[in-house]
């Protein structure tokens, strides 16, 4: 294993002494592990105290909570995120009456199938580390609707969220009256985000598409940087039945003369993206060609990375997230920020490596292989399609030495639940099937029928209530002394993960 070089960080002499002390303390256990743990702990120390949980609880002020609930009810009365009329006409009309707030700041636009939110959080953290005021718009939320709109790296507080809605409500009603269909839930939130970013004002917006690209409500911005995370099969009824067909829709975010940061893709998806980029006279940087992950090593609490960006290599990067997929998200985020600053095209050189290290060491991504309890260890992951499930399974197997793993799965009815379950089958000793409170949730008995076909009857338990499912899984993990290293993974849906988070006291 390669040894981290603390001399590359500031206060080199102090870091050297700290590193040596930590190694000395731990060498009785395992010399290689001691070196890696020392590197990760030293890098964490250099980044300052960990950030607070970015998943806000309900407002403590009863008046604010009532006002937020009133806004949530009004938004819930609109078309949900899964009911779509493929057009940007309504959001464009709203932007017009609001004075085109989305043109008041530059932006980085993110599409893809998996990894969008984690990548957006990393981009936001990197830009903030360079003293830029940021706005981030992502979806869906884990627990609170206010998570979707972040300012300066923190979710918009409930009071400001309510104000943002009330500020544009008269304009929403004006557009509703003029259009064949009312603005949807997602379109209203997009309008709120773009208006709030202009009002703040932010230096740069980091925007994740809701679904697709061309006709997604977010696609009224003209971003100079377009990011495409890995494309796989999801929302096939709306986007297409092959990665290439899905890519054709997602390529719609590529604007004239933009820079495209392209994560590793299936061949047909990559071909579609490159063709679109050529048509738009865009510059393309491809993972595995112009940039990539040079090396990564498991570290305590995450992983140590060396990344090759557009401006050169950045080593000794501690990323407090698990899984190879997060390392790939990290290099995509790094290159997006380099491209935003013109690195690799308009100017030579690289970004300040110490700032990059500090920013990555402070990254949070709630609900993505997130540990929320110990004894037994309970991990949450929002994987909801086969590709996401495979990435989660690989990351979990790599980072945790569970002797026995119990799955808790609650999925949405419009997903490839068989593919999801098949991806987890090799790592789950048993699975507890459940359902969340969403109207989109697949009935627990129907999901269990598929689970029995995948796992066999003896490995499947059904608990329709999520609280009962969590209790059952934890009991199974604690069942026998020989399984003292057992763990629980809660997965299948962002909503399932969010509700589990609340039940386990993280809300």
């Amino acid at each position: 294993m390669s040894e981290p070089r603390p001399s590359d960080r500031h206060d080199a002499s102090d870091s050297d002494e700290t590193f040596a002390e930590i190694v000395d303390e731990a060498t009785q256990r395992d010399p290689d592990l001691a070196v890696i743990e020392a590197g990760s702990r030293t890098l964490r120390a250099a980044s300052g105290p960990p950030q607070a949980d970015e998943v806000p609880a309900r407002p403590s002020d009863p008046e604010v909570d009532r006002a937020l609930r009133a806004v949530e009810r009004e938004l819930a009365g609109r078309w949900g995120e899964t009911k779509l009329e493929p057009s940007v006409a309504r959001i464009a009309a709203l932007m017009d009456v609001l004075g085109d707030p989305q043109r008041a700041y530059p932006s980085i636009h993110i599409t893809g199938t998996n990894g969008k939110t984690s990548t957006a959080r990393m981009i936001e953290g990197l830009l903030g580390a360079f003293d830029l005021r940021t706005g981030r718009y992502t979806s869906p939320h884990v627990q609170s609707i206010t998570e979707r709109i972040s300012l300066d790296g923190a979710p918009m507080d409930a009071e400001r969220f309510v104000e943002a809605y009330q500020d544009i409500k008269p304009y929403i009603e004006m557009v509703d009256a003029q259009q064949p269909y009312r603005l949807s839930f997602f379109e209203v939130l997009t309008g709120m985000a773009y208006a709030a970013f202009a009002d703040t004002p932010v230096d740069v917006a980091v925007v994740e598409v809701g679904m697709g690209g061309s006709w997604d409500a977010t696609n009224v911005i003209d971003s100079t940087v377009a990011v495409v995370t890995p494309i796989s099969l999801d929302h096939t009824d709306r986007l297409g039945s092959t990665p290439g067909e899905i890519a054709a829709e997602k390529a719609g975010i590529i604007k004239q003369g933009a820079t495209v940061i392209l994560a590793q893709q299936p061949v047909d998806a990559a071909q579609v993206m490159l063709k679109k980029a050529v048509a738009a006279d865009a510059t393309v940087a491809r993972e595995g060609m112009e940039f990539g992950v040079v090396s990564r090593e498991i570290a305590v609490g995450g992983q140590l990375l060396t990344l090759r960006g557009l401006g050169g290599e950045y080593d000794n990067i501690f990323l407090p997230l698990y899984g190879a997929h997060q390392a790939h998200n990290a290099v995509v985020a790094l290159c997006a920020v380099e491209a935003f600053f013109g690195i690799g095209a308009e100017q030579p050189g690289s970004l300040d490596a110490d700032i990059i290290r500090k920013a990555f060491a402070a990254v949070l991504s709630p609900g993505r292989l997130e540990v929320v309890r110990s004894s037994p260890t309970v991990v949450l992951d929002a994987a909801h399609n086969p590709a996401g499930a495979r990435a989660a399974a690989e990351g979990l197997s790599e980072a945790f030495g569970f002797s026995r793993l119990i799955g808790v799965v609650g999925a949405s009815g419009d997903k490839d639940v068989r593919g999801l379950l098949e991806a987890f089958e090799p790592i789950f000793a048993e699975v507890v099937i459940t359902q969340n409170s969403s109207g989109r949730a697949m009935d627990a008995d129907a999901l269990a029928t598929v689970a029995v076909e995948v796992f066999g009857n003896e490995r499947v338990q059904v608990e329709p209530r999520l609280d009962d499912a969590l209790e059952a899984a934890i009991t199974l993990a604690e069942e026998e002394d020989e399984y003292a290293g057992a763990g629980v993974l809660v997965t299948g849906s962002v909503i399932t993960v969010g509700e589990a988070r609340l039940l386990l006291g993280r809300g």
Side-chain angles (χ1 to χ4, degrees), residues 102 104-110 122-124 126-135 202-207 221-227 257-261 283 285 310-311 314 331-347 351 356:
Q102 80 283 11
Y105 39 80
S107 57
I108 297 174
H109 206 177
I110 307 168
M122 293 179 198
I123 292 172
E124 175 191 45
L126 289 166
L127 292 168
F130 285 97
D131 297 323
L132 293 181
R133 299 204 71 182
T134 58
V202 301
D203 296 317
V204 55
V206 182
V207 178
I221 52 175
D222 292 317
S223 297
T224 56
V225 179
V227 176
T259 299
V260 182
I261 306 300
T283 301
L310 305 180
Y314 301 80
V331 77
V332 167
L334 171 64
C335 291
V337 173
E338 286 184 311
F340 180 78
F341 285 122
I343 300 294
E346 299 171 15
Q347 57 181 312
L351 299 175
I356 296 296

Side-chain angles (χ1 to χ4, degrees), residues 356-387:
I356 296 296
R357 292 186 189 106
K358 283 189 174 184
F360 273 125
V363 165
L364 295 173
S365 194
R368 277 75 181 177
L369 289 183
E370 178 189 19
V371 178
V372 293
R373 173 185 163 149
S374 56
S375 300
T377 299
V378 177
V379 182
L380 307 180
D381 193 86
H384 54 273
N385 55 45

Side-chain angles (χ1 to χ4, degrees), residues 229-454:
T229 66
I231 292 173
S232 60
L233 299 183
D234 200 7
H235 302 296
T236 53
D237 56 330
R238 298 176 179 88
L239 301 180
S241 58
T242 67
E245 290 176 356
I246 293 171
E249 171 56 35
K250 293 182 181 292
I253 73 164
I254 299 174
K255 302 303 194 297
Q256 193 71 26
T259 299
V260 182
I261 306 300
L262 194 61
Q264 290 180 335
Q265 303 291 345
V267 173
D268 57 342
Q271 289 172 339
V272 170
M273 285 291 170
L274 292 172
K275 184 177 179 180
K276 171 65 175 181
V278 169
D281 196 26
T283 301
V284 180
R286 300 155 295 177
E287 185 179 8
M289 299 290 286
E290 286 78 22
F291 67 91
V293 177
V294 176
S295 67
R296 66 183 201 93
E297 298 171 351
I298 301 170
V300 175
Q303 50 193 310
L304 289 176
L305 309 175
T306 296
L307 306 178
R308 177 166 57 85
L310 305 180
E313 285 195 5
Y314 301 80
D315 61 4
N316 294 328
I317 293 174
F318 173 69
L319 182 68
L321 302 175
Y322 301 107
H325 60 295
Q326 294 290 16
H328 291 286
N329 290 339
V331 77
V332 167
L334 171 64
C335 291
V337 173
E338 286 184 311
F340 180 78
F341 285 122
I343 300 294
E346 299 171 15
Q347 57 181 312
S350 58
L351 299 175
D352 187 306
D354 284 329
I355 293 177
I356 296 296
R357 292 186 189 106
K358 283 189 174 184
F360 273 125
V363 165
L364 295 173
S365 194
R368 277 75 181 177
L369 289 183
E370 178 189 19
V371 178
V372 293
R373 173 185 163 149
S374 56
S375 300
T377 299
V378 177
V379 182
L380 307 180
D381 193 86
H384 54 273
N385 55 45
R390 286 191 293 271
E394 290 169 7
L396 197 76
S397 299
E398 176 186 78
F400 298 88
F402 293 129
S403 59
R404 184 171 182 243
L405 182 63
I406 311 300
V408 175
V409 180
S412 296
D414 58 348
K415 299 296 182 182
D416 178 4
V417 294
R418 180 179 296 277
L420 179 88
L421 293 168
E422 287 175 345
F424 283 122
E425 191 277 332
I427 68 168
F428 286 166
E430 296 180 65
V431 61
V432 181
I433 297 298
T434 189
Q435 65 188 74
N436 58 57
S437 64
S438 166
R440 294 172 56 202
M442 188 172 187
D443 177 76
D445 289 334
L447 181 57
T449 299
V450 182
V452 167
E453 294 173 359
V454 174

Side-chain angles (χ1 to χ4, degrees), residues 36-161:
I36 292 176
E37 180 172 355
S40 61
R41 286 169 60 188
T42 307
L43 285 166
R44 272 191 300 238
S47 72
Q51 294 181 357
D53 189 351
E54 289 196 10
V55 180
R58 297 297 310 183
S60 57
D61 185 324
E63 289 297 323
V64 175
D65 189 49
R66 275 194 289 271
L68 179 60
R69 289 185 188 278
V71 171
E72 290 170 332
R73 283 194 298 272
E74 290 189 26
L75 290 171
R78 295 180 173 273
W79 273 2
E81 289 172 282
T82 59
K83 186 173 182 180
L84 304 168
E85 193 273 321
S87 167
V88 294
R90 292 176 301 280
I91 187 66
L94 179 60
M95 292 296 99
D96 183 54
V97 297
L98 289 174
D100 286 323
Q102 80 283 11
R103 304 195 189 284
Y105 39 80
S107 57
I108 297 174
H109 206 177
I110 307 168
T111 190
T113 301
N114 292 308
K116 296 188 297 294
T117 298
S118 292
T119 303
R121 285 178 173 274
M122 293 179 198
I123 292 172
E124 175 191 45
L126 289 166
L127 292 168
F130 285 97
D131 297 323
L132 293 181
R133 299 204 71 182
T134 58
R136 172 172 54 83
Y137 181 52
T138 54
S139 61
H141 56 274
V142 176
Q143 285 174 205
S144 171
I145 194 172
T146 61
E147 298 164 38
R148 294 177 178 237
I149 306 174
S150 286
L151 298 170
D152 290 326
M156 183 182 282
D157 65 61
E159 191 168 9
R160 190 167 184 182
F161 186 91

